[in-house]
Amino acid sequence: MNETPTVLWSRPENERPGTPLLVIFHGYGADEADLFSLATQLPAEFTVASVRAPLQAGSGYSWFPLRNDLGYSVTTVTESASAVELWIESVRTNHSSVSLLGFSQGMCMATTLLRHRPTDYAAVVGLSGFVVEAEGDPYFDDAAVAAHKPELFWGRDQADPVIPAAAIESTNTWVHAHVKLTKVLYAGIMHGINAQEIAHVGEFLQYKVLNAK
């Protein structure tokens, strides 16, 4: 993803300056339109930018290749994150802050970006996803994350059939050690999102970003 990514914006360019930015990362096999409707359900102050992942995956796209067991190469994760980070840097100065929201594989991207530059983001939302296991990889500055304690919302269904239990366990361990965590469990959404969860995400963004001192 060396070229500029395909992005759906909630505002025309002339209305974006000075607004807080929320960058959305879709899940594996989806595209930038998949979560874009969430923009109308979140605080109106935000400009929402929904980004398309770089790799073809079925009829949609992926941020990095996944094996059948949902295994992955950390190198492919960081390559994808580095490209997205370049794009974020190109638009950052237009906005009062940058927050990230990722669903499923998109949560890997959002949290990877946070772990590379923890002070660059006002808040991160992770839905039905996990955090990459990358102990010792220099791209991930987890010591800086733990020192900064950024705001993270993690929403999921305990009956989610997609994310492996080991990934949930390692994510749970990581978030409790590194971030200011808002964790909410939902029944009946499986590997999805419902109106209650989006309402909670909106409240989180309102209090942690818009109302932050």
Side-chain angles (χ1 to χ4, degrees):
M1 198 171 71
N2 294 327
E3 68 269 7
T4 302
T6 298
V7 181
L8 277 178
W9 290 91
S10 65
R11 275 188 173 82
E13 193 166 0
N14 64 325
E15 295 178 15
R16 296 174 203 161
T19 59
L21 177 64
L22 177 67
V23 182
I24 292 184
F25 302 95
H26 61 74
Y28 185 92
D31 64 22
E32 70 281 7
D34 186 52
L35 302 175
F36 190 61
S37 64
L38 300 182
T40 61
Q41 303 171 62
L42 296 172
E45 291 90 338
F46 283 92
T47 292
V48 173
S50 187
V51 184
R52 179 192 293 178
L55 305 174
Q56 196 77 40
S59 60
Y61 299 87
S62 74
W63 296 102
F64 49 89
L66 286 175
R67 297 191 291 271
N68 288 341
D69 62 354
L70 297 193
Y72 51 86
S73 151
V74 172
T75 301
T76 62
V77 178
T78 58
E79 285 172 354
S80 189
S82 295
V84 175
E85 188 176 80
L86 280 175
W87 171 77
I88 291 174
E89 291 312 303
S90 75
V91 300
R92 176 185 292 280
T93 54
N94 288 337
H95 298 279
S96 56
S97 65
V98 180
S99 299
L100 309 173
L101 183 155
F103 173 77
S104 193
Q105 193 189 45
M107 178 175 169
C108 299
M109 291 304 299
T111 52
T112 294
L113 287 162
L114 178 71
R115 293 165 74 185
H116 188 227
R117 292 186 176 177
T119 61
D120 279 10
Y121 303 102
V124 173
V125 175
L127 307 177
S128 300
F130 60 98
V131 169
V132 170
E133 286 195 69
E135 192 172 344
D137 189 297
Y139 189 88
F140 298 82
D141 194 350
D142 283 346
V145 182
H148 184 59
K149 288 281 185 187
E151 297 284 355
L152 177 76
F153 179 100
W154 184 24
R156 54 178 289 268
D157 185 341
Q158 284 181 297
D160 185 329
V162 173
I163 307 301
I168 295 298
E169 190 175 324
S170 63
T171 299
N172 208 38
T173 299
W174 185 88
V175 294
H176 280 98
H178 294 88
V179 300
K180 286 181 193 156
L181 179 64
T182 303
K183 179 182 177 183
V184 189
L185 297 173
Y186 301 89
I189 65 171
M190 303 301 277
H191 191 66
I193 301 171
N194 68 5
Q196 182 189 33
E197 184 173 40
I198 289 309
H200 289 156
V201 169
E203 290 169 9
F204 171 81
L205 292 171
Q206 180 71 49
Y207 290 112
K208 303 301 186 182
V209 180
L210 301 181
N211 297 356
K213 298 287 189 231

